[in-house]
Amino acid sequence: MARQLTDNAVYQYAVQQNTPKSTLEYFGRTVADMNVINSISKGLARSQAGTSATLQLMRPLWVSMARITE
């Protein structure tokens, strides 16, 4: 019984600490989650297609722009 009470108290504390404090914080978390899911799905699609564009993705934009302007 005591273990159940402490487990429940720890759970309630974790929920309270992880609950967004404002609408803006909630929106930020939602956008961040969508970006992670989008990145994972793109990676899986590349993996299934047999292509690997990780080096191209890691290249800074200014390097790509420098090639265009040359």
Side-chain angles (χ1 to χ4, degrees), residues 35-46:
N35 286 337
V36 168
I37 292 170
N38 191 19
S39 295
I40 291 171
S41 65
K42 283 182 181 178
L44 288 173
R46 285 190 189 102

Side-chain angles (χ1 to χ4, degrees), residues 6-56:
T6 57
D7 286 352
N8 189 32
V10 170
Y11 173 78
Q12 293 300 328
Y13 179 75
V15 168
Q16 180 185 9
Q17 292 299 313
N18 289 320
T19 302
K21 307 297 185 253
S22 66
T23 305
L24 182 62
E25 184 180 350
Y26 175 76
F27 179 72
R29 287 184 184 186
T30 304
V31 169
D33 289 345
M34 284 189 291
N35 286 337
V36 168
I37 292 170
N38 191 19
S39 295
I40 291 171
S41 65
K42 283 182 181 178
L44 288 173
R46 285 190 189 102
S47 175
Q48 290 175 352
T51 61
S52 176
T54 54
L55 293 176
Q56 185 69 22

